[in-house]
Amino acid sequence: ASVTLTASGNGKVFVEWSYARRMAGTRLLTRRVGTDDDFVSAGPVDGLEKMLSGFTPGITLQVKAVAYNNGGDAPDSPVAEVVVT
């Protein structure tokens, strides 16, 4: 799955990702560059998009998606990166 990020102002980032064949769902993971050592869960996900909020404008945010089904996890998507506004 590929991930697209759009800085939306007020510490928000809109995330969209593509459908992966046979996926039952997606886990979204975020990392604040210079703050977080590892990626952390972005919380519940429904569908193929999510608005993330609560970030400090000016930081760099990295996001990746992990599709899954009953057989387990797919490989992580490439990491997308955006400067939060």
Side-chain angles (χ1 to χ4, degrees):
S2 64
V3 176
T4 303
L5 305 178
T6 305
S8 300
N10 296 318
K12 296 180 181 178
V13 174
F14 184 68
V15 185
E16 297 176 278
W17 56 96
S18 58
Y19 178 80
R21 197 166 38 115
R22 296 189 303 267
M23 74 180 227
T26 307
R27 275 191 290 287
L28 213 55
L29 304 171
T30 64
R31 178 178 172 266
R32 294 170 297 170
V33 175
T35 301
D36 299 328
D37 290 332
D38 267 325
F39 282 85
V40 297
S41 172
V45 173
D46 184 27
L48 298 173
E49 61 186 38
K50 181 173 178 130
M51 181 67 79
L52 303 177
S53 61
F55 296 103
T56 303
I59 69 157
T60 299
L61 183 69
Q62 294 179 329
V63 179
K64 63 183 176 179
V66 181
Y68 64 87
N69 62 23
N70 290 339
D73 290 354
D76 296 359
S77 73
V79 173
E81 189 172 282
V82 68
V83 174
V84 177
T85 59

